[in-house]
Amino acid sequence: MSAALASFAAAPASAAPAPDRLLSPDELEAALRDIGARRYHNLHPFHRRLHSGKLDRDQVRAWALNRYYYQAMIPVKDASIVARMEDAALRRIWRQRIVDHDGEAEGDGGIERWLRLTDGLGFPRAYVTSTRGILPATRFAVEAYVHFVRERTLLEAIASSLTELFAPTIISERVAGMLGSYDFVSKDTLAYFDKRMTQAPRDADFALAYAKEHATTPALQAAVLGALTFKCDVLWSQLDALHHAYVDPGLPPPGAWTPGAEA
Amino acid sequence: MSAALASFAAAPASAAPAPDRLLSPDELEAALRDIGARRYHNLHPFHRRLHSGKLDRDQVRAWALNRYYYQAMIPVKDASIVARMEDAALRRIWRQRIVDHDGEAEGDGGIERWLRLTDGLGFPRAYVTSTRGILPATRFAVEAYVHFVRERTLLEAIASSLTELFAPTIISERVAGMLGSYDFVSKDTLAYFDKRMTQAPRDADFALAYAKEHATTPALQAAVLGALTFKCDVLWSQLDALHHAYVDPGLPPPGAWTPGAEA
């Protein structure tokens, strides 16, 4: 039995690059950006199809339905991080993420804006929020993310959010591509992404500065790089599952939403 | 926000049948067997190909490499269950599962027998046990199983093992099919399955009797049925990921083992 399995919480989340010397903060940032350039889900064939108009309406619906669970769990993930912060100043900054997703009142916030997309795609809200039609692989990946931020160090939990460094690019591609290609989405149903264009860079700047300041040994830098690699895997595996179930070969697992079936 | 998401631990693992009245113990057993008949992974196209000789050696290797992580985490899963049992008699019974997988000494036990299969398929042991080449979806599914038995009720944790009710059928199909189809496996490298032919039914009989005795309300019966459904999803989603990465379309995610690459 490998040492990696001796402690579940310490098991490697993913094969991650391990620097053999202390990187400067700028070198660490470059290594993080390199992970994004190679592993961020904008490179996935499903996203390339989504953005270039090559998916049919049911395939876009499957994406929005599954991605809802990811959106809905983001504040649970962020509250789990806030719960681990012993510094009020840090908690004040991070709690803004919960506010962004949950809103100030019913009908406001990122989750609500995601539901406007699933509304526009014809899903009853109760079906979407029940999450009973999502792919098991979506559930497992999203829950792996929540467990990760609860079980790893706070530095790793914060670093796992760094995929937001790469969000503005994918969002601008996505909105332009989807509006230009699909008559079943509109600027209003894609409102979620407008807000994220300003929220994601603000959040990513903070997390990146935190990681650069606190990853002060090669081992901590390896942990930060591993956390971002893990998070890229969380996003990528969700698209693998969508691709398998709804594109090629198109075999939804038992119990998952099936195009044409009543939601 | 749905009630299902208000408490992460109480979120539905999977869409599961919910009886609207109390089932008799025999009706509960029939409902469990019906889940297996519809959702057990012997029905998955990847397994059908595996057993009928339609996979090439690299596809069989990918299966064995990924499945190692599942095998390796089984005693971690079972120790997590033992850790939740307050009754010594129950712990004595369940601990046998840990013994079966870990063996009495180095070189013995189910994990060791699985490594004989990966040996026979040409993987260095250190590569297999590092788990660095497995699919992220394998990792997420297996870890979902470990988290499930830690976070749900003991009854659900026990019921999630009930896929073993269906193991003898798949194992006999698998061993006969693989020995008849592939010159790169042998009776010796498939020794893991010989042992499981007697261990799995013994374990399943106990877990089934426990579930039938303790699921004494419709809600507890729904929880038991949900636990087995969840576990079927854990197994199925691993094959979905293998199918996507190595069969159709054959796109391993970044960082995963790639046929032809040095292990």
Side-chain angles (χ1 to χ4, degrees):
Chain A
M1 172 71 62
S2 73
L5 291 170
S7 163
F8 178 46
S14 303
D20 53 6
R21 61 172 177 85
L22 187 67
L23 304 177
S24 71
D26 284 351
E27 287 174 324
L28 178 62
E29 178 174 342
L32 288 164
R33 291 190 184 278
D34 180 60
I35 291 171
R38 289 179 295 104
R39 305 179 76 130
Y40 191 55
H41 63 167
N42 67 316
L43 302 170
H44 195 285
F46 189 92
H47 259 185
R48 288 204 302 265
R49 287 179 196 228
L50 176 66
H51 302 163
S52 62
K54 300 239 167 61
L55 297 183
D56 64 28
R57 182 167 177 271
D58 277 330
Q59 291 166 331
V60 175
R61 294 177 82 202
W63 169 74
L65 176 71
N66 277 271
R67 170 84 181 238
Y68 167 80
Y69 186 60
Y70 178 77
Q71 301 299 342
M73 292 300 280
I74 288 297
V76 173
K77 182 272 292 184
D78 284 317
S80 300
I81 293 179
V82 171
R84 303 189 58 194
M85 292 172 157
E86 294 177 9
D87 174 13
L90 214 46
R91 288 196 301 269
R92 276 195 295 271
I93 292 167
W94 209 271
R95 78 180 185 218
Q96 183 60 41
R97 295 169 179 250
I98 307 175
V99 174
D100 289 343
H101 271 77
D102 287 341
E104 295 289 354
E106 200 69 37
D108 181 33
I111 296 172
E112 170 68 25
R113 281 187 288 277
W114 196 268
L115 288 169
R116 277 184 229 157
L117 175 59
T118 56
D119 289 347
L121 291 168
F123 282 118
R125 282 203 175 194
Y127 180 74
V128 176
T129 60
S130 79
T131 75
R132 68 175 186 270
I134 69 172
L135 300 167
T138 303
R139 192 178 303 283
F140 300 155
V142 169
E143 295 185 0
Y145 188 24
V146 176
H147 283 115
F148 184 94
V149 304
R150 291 176 181 177
E151 294 173 358
R152 300 302 183 105
T153 62
L154 181 59
L155 176 61
E156 289 169 291
I158 288 174
S160 67
S161 74
L162 283 171
T163 43
E164 288 176 330
L165 285 171
F166 320 119
T169 311
I170 197 173
I171 290 176
S172 56
E173 285 171 7
R174 181 181 297 152
V175 172
M178 290 181 73
L179 286 178
S181 303
Y182 301 122
D183 58 10
F184 48 85
V185 299
S186 66
K187 203 148 172 34
D188 186 53
T189 60
L190 295 182
Y192 173 84
F193 298 109
D194 287 344
K195 285 278 189 188
R196 294 305 299 162
M197 286 296 285
T198 51
Q199 291 167 349
R202 175 205 65 201
D203 292 347
D205 288 349
F206 176 81
L208 179 61
Y210 185 95
K212 288 165 77 172
E213 182 184 345
H214 290 85
T216 52
T217 69
L220 292 174
Q221 293 184 337
V224 161
L225 296 169
L228 178 58
T229 302
F230 160 80
K231 175 65 177 304
C232 287
D233 289 345
V234 166
L235 297 174
W236 191 280
S237 71
Q238 291 178 65
L239 297 185
D240 275 357
L242 282 165
H243 197 92
H244 175 79
Y246 299 110
V247 179
D248 182 8
L251 292 172
W257 177 72
T258 304
E262 190 51 47
Chain B
M1 173 71 60
S2 74
L5 292 170
S7 163
F8 178 46
S14 305
D20 52 7
R21 61 172 177 85
L22 187 67
L23 304 177
S24 72
D26 284 351
E27 285 173 326
L28 179 62
E29 178 174 342
L32 289 163
R33 291 189 184 279
D34 180 59
I35 291 171
R38 289 179 295 106
R39 306 179 76 130
Y40 191 56
H41 63 167
N42 66 317
L43 301 171
H44 195 285
F46 189 91
H47 259 185
R48 287 204 302 265
R49 286 179 197 229
L50 176 67
H51 302 163
S52 61
K54 299 239 168 59
L55 297 183
D56 65 29
R57 181 168 177 270
D58 277 331
Q59 291 166 331
V60 175
R61 294 177 82 201
W63 168 75
L65 176 69
N66 276 271
R67 171 84 181 237
Y68 168 79
Y69 186 61
Y70 178 78
Q71 300 299 341
M73 292 300 280
I74 289 296
V76 173
K77 182 273 292 185
D78 284 317
S80 299
I81 293 179
V82 172
R84 303 189 56 194
M85 290 171 157
E86 294 177 9
D87 174 13
L90 213 47
R91 288 196 300 268
R92 276 194 296 270
I93 292 168
W94 209 271
R95 79 180 185 218
Q96 184 59 41
R97 294 169 178 249
I98 307 176
V99 174
D100 289 343
H101 272 78
D102 287 341
E104 296 289 353
E106 200 70 38
D108 181 32
I111 296 172
E112 170 69 25
R113 281 187 289 276
W114 196 268
L115 288 167
R116 276 184 231 158
L117 175 59
T118 56
D119 290 347
L121 292 168
F123 282 118
R125 283 203 174 194
Y127 179 74
V128 176
T129 59
S130 78
T131 75
R132 68 176 187 271
I134 68 171
L135 300 167
T138 302
R139 191 177 304 283
F140 300 154
V142 170
E143 295 184 1
Y145 188 25
V146 176
H147 283 115
F148 185 94
V149 305
R150 291 177 181 176
E151 294 173 359
R152 299 301 183 107
T153 63
L154 180 60
L155 175 61
E156 289 168 291
I158 288 174
S160 66
S161 74
L162 283 170
T163 44
E164 288 176 331
L165 284 171
F166 320 119
T169 309
I170 197 173
I171 290 176
S172 56
E173 284 171 10
R174 181 181 297 152
V175 172
M178 290 181 73
L179 286 177
S181 304
Y182 302 122
D183 59 10
F184 48 85
V185 299
S186 66
K187 205 148 172 30
D188 186 53
T189 60
L190 296 181
Y192 173 83
F193 297 108
D194 287 343
K195 284 279 189 188
R196 295 304 300 160
M197 286 296 284
T198 50
Q199 291 167 350
R202 176 205 65 203
D203 292 347
D205 287 348
F206 176 80
L208 178 61
Y210 186 94
K212 288 165 78 172
E213 181 183 347
H214 290 84
T216 52
T217 69
L220 292 174
Q221 293 184 336
V224 162
L225 296 168
L228 178 58
T229 303
F230 160 80
K231 174 65 177 304
C232 287
D233 288 346
V234 165
L235 298 174
W236 192 280
S237 70
Q238 291 177 67
L239 297 185
D240 274 357
L242 284 165
H243 197 92
H244 175 80
Y246 299 109
V247 178
D248 182 10
L251 292 172
W257 177 73
T258 304
E262 190 51 48

